[in-house]
Amino acid sequence: MASDRPNRRPNTRSSRLVDRSDAFVFFGATGDLAYKQIFPALAGLIRDEGFALPIIGVARSGDLESLRERARQSLAAHGFADEAVARALTDRLRYVKGSDDDVETFHALRRELGKARHPLHYLAIPPDLFGEVVDNLQASGCATGARIIVEKPFGRDLASAMALHETIHTAFAEDAVFRIDHYLGKEPVQNLLYFRFANSFLEPIWNRDRIASVQINMPEEFGVDDRGAFYDQAGAIRDVVQNHLLQVVSLLAMEPPSGHTPEAIRNEQFKVLDSIRPLAPDDIVRGQYRGYLDVKGVAPQSRVETFAALRLHVDTWRWGGVPFYIRTGKSLPVTVTEVLVELKRPPQSVFGEALPPDADYFRFRLTPDMSISLGSRAKKPGEAMVGEAVELFASHQSGTERPPYQRLIGDATRGDQSLFSREDWVEAAWRVVDGVLDATTAPCVYEPGTWGPPEAANVLQHGDRWHDPVVQPGAADEATIVAPAASTAK
Ligand code: BG6
């Protein structure tokens, strides 16, 4: 299996850049990502960490005053009531108007950077523009001593991701490249890593001997709404499986890192991905919610999936034979991300009870709140040796974390790559999904508000079931979580 993989090592050429960035530049300054994530992240950095870098927006339209106004609107829409923070951000804002394919724009940027020698460039623009921007950054001297942040999706398949990495590496060494996957900046995702390796009780059971299956559910209640044009070029696999959900798999399945460097962790994350068998058509069921074809920007006969259920094989000594299931989709009943690690049944039913197959499990709630719990059986009070399902909560926290983009942009200015996707990881992730990216058959249609098409059960093995995570109103604020219900799907 591994033999036909291109044997490509990450680009380890070093930029030898150890200094903090001294200016923050963002391309696509008038776009959606800047409005929804970058302005609030910068405001959070100013408020919490005294972030004091010059901030330069680059866009085709508008002027400095309209960009300031957009920043103010973004902050108001994202809960920044503090006038002083908004003023600190808008006062620091500068603006370069111009086009990504015009080198003059980049000369103007170099002038605007003034004495800054280590700018951090954030490409909040579509990936097909990266090539031009990187060339022009280099031609204008803006790439010298600089770092670059790029947004997912990193390419749209393995070949384009490799080409993109080549392009970026013409101007930036790997240690100057920060590929954002905001899932890695989420506190509960980091807690998966922490919980696994800061406790000794887990390791003896965290393998094929005691674990029957692992499933990750990421249902989203909302549809594609105003993102039709983007989403119809992507679909669920490119949008969240190849990146966010495979990151979660790599943290769950990785070996203990050898050493204390961030690189040691990223090495183990890569090894997991490298050992996953490329998906075959039988490993996946794709769905599309009824009504998707009416969304603005979606092609009339689109076969793009808004739902995917899949089975991964992690071919390692630790995990051989343990299925890893992923289920995600738009217009499902709730918005939540949850991992369920199901333990094997006891070898005998000592008390003559018919034990449910999934009585014992670990449950990790990643969004909208964070919890870790252990599902088990306990005796019901009374004379009979009869039990009931109980959940022991190991930890529960509600949304007090720093927003992921704030954390990640702050890390990038310090040159800390721990929570960014490495080139080899990204390519290994594409290798897993590459064979099933483009539908050869129509997706199964499902009704909005349901758990997707019943065919999703086809990827399950050994009598496994989908577990439908349950969220009660206010779950992000209070501990109002209840144990998962077994799906009706199988
Ligand atoms: C984004 C996807 O990367 O992640 C969206 O493009 C998805 O489609 C989102 O809804 C989920 O992230 P979060 O942080 O909202 O759970």
Side-chain angles (χ1 to χ4, degrees):
M1 173 196 61
S3 57
D4 58 353
R5 292 175 183 167
N7 186 16
R8 223 156 146 269
R9 302 297 309 149
N11 178 325
T12 47
R13 189 161 56 94
S14 168
S15 63
R16 304 196 187 288
L17 187 60
V18 288
D19 296 288
R20 262 175 185 257
S21 302
D22 50 11
F24 179 82
V25 179
F26 60 124
F27 292 83
T30 51
D32 214 36
L33 185 69
Y35 182 82
K36 288 188 179 153
Q37 301 290 0
I38 298 178
F39 288 127
L42 293 172
L45 284 166
I46 290 171
R47 182 193 57 200
D48 302 338
E49 299 179 29
F51 182 90
L53 306 187
I55 300 169
I56 306 174
V58 184
R60 278 170 188 271
S61 59
D63 55 20
L64 178 58
E65 203 31 59
S66 59
L67 190 65
R68 284 185 168 143
E69 182 49 30
R70 190 154 166 85
R72 278 191 284 269
Q73 285 169 4
S74 157
L75 298 194
H78 294 91
F80 282 87
D82 187 340
E83 249 310 297
V85 171
R87 205 168 327 109
L89 173 61
T90 50
D91 283 355
R92 206 160 304 146
L93 209 52
R94 300 184 205 157
Y95 181 65
V96 173
K97 181 173 175 178
S99 152
D100 296 332
D101 56 9
D102 179 7
V103 73
E104 279 316 310
T105 308
F106 294 77
H107 288 305
L109 172 61
R110 190 49 265 177
R111 287 193 293 277
E112 194 63 53
L113 281 166
K115 292 202 177 108
R117 288 290 165 263
H118 300 298
L120 171 62
H121 301 291
Y122 194 142
L123 306 196
I125 51 175
D128 50 340
L129 303 176
F130 287 2
E132 268 161 4
V133 172
V134 168
D135 287 349
N136 285 329
L137 283 172
Q138 195 166 27
S140 59
C142 293
T144 311
R147 299 189 169 108
I148 191 166
I149 300 181
V150 289
E151 262 294 323
K152 77 154 223 345
F154 314 114
R156 35 180 303 104
D157 53 20
L158 177 59
S160 57
M162 289 169 82
L164 192 58
H165 291 157
E166 296 284 343
T167 303
I168 290 173
H169 286 315
T170 57
F172 297 91
E174 179 64 13
D175 68 355
V177 183
F178 293 75
R179 298 179 190 84
I180 282 209
D181 179 327
H182 78 282
Y183 250 57
L184 283 179
K186 285 181 186 272
E187 190 63 28
V189 174
Q190 284 306 300
N191 201 15
L192 278 180
L193 180 66
Y194 184 87
F195 188 75
R196 276 203 58 200
F197 297 118
N199 296 304
S200 64
F201 65 86
L202 216 51
E203 182 58 17
I205 59 171
W206 207 252
N207 55 52
R208 65 191 304 278
D209 295 334
R210 296 303 332 141
I211 289 178
S213 70
V214 177
Q215 68 173 263
I216 304 167
N217 281 289
M218 183 195 177
E220 292 181 309
E221 201 177 349
F222 46 88
V224 168
D225 306 334
D226 56 349
R227 299 169 77 212
F230 158 78
Y231 198 89
D232 208 43
Q233 296 297 314
I237 302 172
R238 289 189 174 92
D239 189 37
V240 298
V241 174
Q242 184 271 344
N243 33 76
H244 306 331
L245 297 177
L246 287 183
Q247 287 288 4
V248 173
V249 171
S250 68
L251 294 172
L252 287 167
M254 66 185 266
E255 295 301 315
S258 50
H260 301 285
T261 62
E263 228 36 44
I265 294 175
R266 302 209 303 170
N267 288 342
E268 298 307 328
Q269 285 177 274
F270 162 71
K271 281 180 355 208
V272 173
L273 268 274
D274 198 39
S275 64
I276 298 178
R277 216 178 291 169
L279 284 165
D282 280 1
D283 294 322
I284 178 162
V285 168
R286 333 154 75 89
Q288 189 184 83
Y289 66 82
R290 192 180 300 287
Y292 173 73
L293 296 179
D294 302 330
V295 175
K296 188 166 166 250
V298 169
Q301 309 289 324
S302 175
R303 288 181 161 184
V304 163
E305 76 285 349
T306 61
F307 172 97
L310 50 106
R311 175 183 58 224
L312 297 170
H313 303 274
V314 183
D315 288 334
T316 61
W317 196 264
R318 185 187 286 269
W319 295 113
V322 179
F324 278 64
Y325 302 117
I326 289 179
R327 183 176 56 159
T328 183
K330 304 285 187 201
S331 284
L332 300 188
V334 287
T335 301
V336 53
T337 307
E338 190 170 282
V339 176
L340 201 87
V341 179
E342 226 172 87
L343 301 173
K344 290 190 172 167
R345 285 192 217 213
Q348 293 291 326
S349 174
V350 175
F351 307 108
E353 277 182 299
L355 290 177
D358 37 18
D360 296 345
Y361 56 84
F362 284 96
R363 189 158 67 84
F364 299 89
R365 176 67 72 98
L366 307 181
T367 65
D369 53 351
M370 171 170 99
S371 68
I372 299 176
S373 51
L374 174 60
S376 53
R377 306 277 300 169
K379 186 181 167 303
K380 274 190 195 163
E383 284 173 22
M385 291 297 267
V386 174
E388 60 186 346
V390 294
E391 264 205 3
L392 315 171
F393 270 81
S395 160
H396 180 270
Q397 292 171 23
S398 52
T400 49
E401 61 172 314
R402 265 187 301 165
Y405 275 87
Q406 177 179 335
R407 175 175 187 159
L408 293 171
I409 292 176
D411 283 358
T413 64
R414 291 181 285 273
D416 180 350
Q417 290 185 304
S418 317
L419 302 182
F420 292 84
S421 305
R422 206 166 68 182
E423 176 187 9
D424 55 351
W425 189 99
V426 170
E427 292 180 6
W430 280 120
R431 224 166 269 135
V432 171
V433 298
D434 219 39
V436 297
L437 280 174
D438 294 311
T440 49
T441 52
C444 310
V445 173
Y446 61 95
E447 297 303 325
T450 67
W451 283 98
E455 288 86 345
N458 295 347
V459 302
L460 300 169
Q461 293 178 327
H462 318 305
D464 290 335
R465 299 185 288 177
W466 288 114
H467 290 273
D468 302 342
V470 179
V471 187
Q472 294 195 343
D477 317 313
E478 300 154 30
T480 50
I481 302 164
V482 293
S487 171
T488 47
K490 190 168 181 180

